[in-house]
Amino acid sequence: MFIVCGEALFDLFVAGEGGASLRFDAHPGGSPYNVAVGLARLGAEVSLVTGISIDFLGAKLLKRLEAEGVGTGMIVRKGGPTTISLVGVDAHGVPAYAFHGHRAADRSLETADLPRLPLGSRVIHAGSFSLVTEPTGTSELALARSRSPGVVVSVDPNVRLSVEPDLDIWRARLAEWLAIADLVKVSREDLGVLYGGAAMADVAAGWLKGGARLVVVTDGGEGAHAFTSSLRTFVPAMPTAVVDTVGAGDTFQAALLWRLAEENAMAPAALASIDEKTLRRVLRYASAAAAITCGRAGADLPRAAEVDERLREAGEAPGEV
């Protein structure tokens, strides 16, 4: 089972304008929420750990998870409101977010609320602003630290400075996760935000020396880099007509986790010893999945059959490079 920790919210996209009024389309979202849905659509058994409000928006978030096949038994219902994210998309399809979630349910997960990790858990993944909003950030970290030996810890900082503008807080919390993480996925943009002009390979080398087994750096439309202690590889992004990039990183994350598991590489030692051919196959799968999401509006993550079809269209048999 995959365990995903983090925020669950509603994204509001401007759908139209009339006089002094704006019309919005509201969609369930939040990076970890999307990753959980993405894993379920690919065929994974997955549960989400988060706080979800008892308000009507919270009820809709819960209903969507159930409809997608995401396990909800580890969700804690809270009296705070549901976080709202206002999303603006520029001419290149790149989103900008403004989050409104003071004392919201997904930021209010206490250590005492934590469920036990179920038997059979293979991966615990966390990311985005829930890492640094309290008390949820501390609670998620405690849950990851409680894992059994052999359970892979995965993290994607997915930095959101509009939620927490203090980079020192982000760096300190990420350092705590890096002390236990086996798999780190990060965008090149976030590396620049966190570490300025530091070379990507140098940052990855430092993380690997600190205990990570596999580091993946996504670089938007360029492609993805991957590092272990013994190899470095790169795969170009799969071409697509971009509608917007909302959810692209979450799609890549879900597909990365799923494909690593399908390749029998979802264990700390297996991540460290993965061979280049297998790793490139995993990255191409994640790239194909992300390309599908970029080709349609919003965080509409693909199902396994769609990813297989995209790979065939690119002249690759599913599972091959």
Side-chain angles (χ1 to χ4, degrees):
M1 176 182 285
F2 295 81
I3 307 299
V4 179
C5 304
E7 63 266 19
L9 51 82
F10 261 89
D11 287 322
L12 268 61
F13 297 82
V14 176
E17 186 172 354
S21 66
L22 292 174
R23 297 191 308 278
F24 292 91
D25 280 337
H27 298 273
S31 178
Y33 187 100
N34 290 338
V35 171
V37 169
L39 280 164
R41 288 187 174 187
L42 292 172
E45 183 182 4
V46 55
S47 289
L48 182 65
V49 179
T50 192
I52 285 186
S53 178
I54 59 174
D55 67 15
F56 77 99
L57 290 178
K60 290 184 178 296
L61 289 172
L62 199 63
K63 185 176 181 180
R64 163 87 186 291
L65 291 173
E66 292 168 345
E68 293 284 357
V70 177
T72 58
M74 302 177 75
I75 286 172
V76 181
R77 303 303 297 275
K78 288 285 187 175
T82 297
T83 297
I84 297 296
S85 169
L86 300 180
V87 187
V89 179
D90 69 14
H92 303 288
V94 178
Y97 301 90
F99 296 93
H100 301 270
H102 181 60
R103 296 183 177 177
D106 57 356
R107 304 186 188 192
S108 303
L109 194 67
E110 301 277 356
T111 304
D113 295 326
L114 292 175
R116 289 182 178 274
L117 289 174
L119 294 175
S121 299
R122 302 177 66 186
V123 184
I124 180 166
H125 170 76
S128 201
F129 69 70
S130 288
L131 297 177
V132 295
T133 52
E134 298 296 355
T136 292
T138 295
S139 300
E140 290 179 354
L141 184 61
L143 184 65
R145 285 172 171 165
S146 75
R147 74 203 182 282
S148 300
V151 174
V152 168
V153 174
S154 166
V155 65
D156 172 12
N158 199 20
V159 176
R160 294 288 183 252
L161 295 181
S162 59
V163 174
E164 175 49 71
D166 190 335
L167 280 172
D168 286 339
I169 292 175
W170 282 97
R171 295 186 190 108
R173 179 49 53 86
L174 182 57
E176 292 180 294
W177 278 94
L178 289 169
I180 60 172
D182 302 292
L183 171 61
V184 186
K185 193 275 281 183
V186 64
S187 70
R188 190 159 194 168
E189 179 183 4
D190 279 352
L191 280 183
V193 170
L194 288 165
Y195 304 114
M200 172 177 54
D202 291 341
V203 174
W207 289 351
L208 292 164
K209 186 177 181 180
R213 315 303 179 99
L214 173 62
V215 175
V216 176
V217 182
T218 57
D219 195 9
E222 297 300 313
H225 304 258
F227 306 81
T228 71
S229 60
S230 61
L231 68 85
R232 171 179 180 174
T233 194
F234 169 80
V235 298
M238 189 162 287
T240 191
V242 175
V243 174
D244 65 49
T245 62
V246 177
D250 305 331
T251 305
F252 190 100
Q253 180 72 66
L256 174 69
L257 293 171
W258 172 248
R259 194 65 209 176
L260 283 167
E262 289 293 281
E263 295 282 356
N264 296 314
M266 192 53 79
L271 289 172
S273 62
I274 192 169
D275 63 88
E276 185 171 11
K277 183 177 180 180
T278 302
L279 184 52
R280 288 179 60 82
R281 197 159 57 232
V282 169
L283 295 175
R284 286 295 285 170
Y285 187 90
S287 176
I292 293 169
T293 298
C294 289
R296 48 204 195 191
D300 184 6
L301 285 71
R303 302 183 185 277
E306 295 177 285
V307 183
D308 289 347
E309 179 60 27
R310 177 55 65 92
L311 287 168
R312 280 190 288 268
E313 291 173 354
E316 303 170 17
E320 296 182 2
V321 173

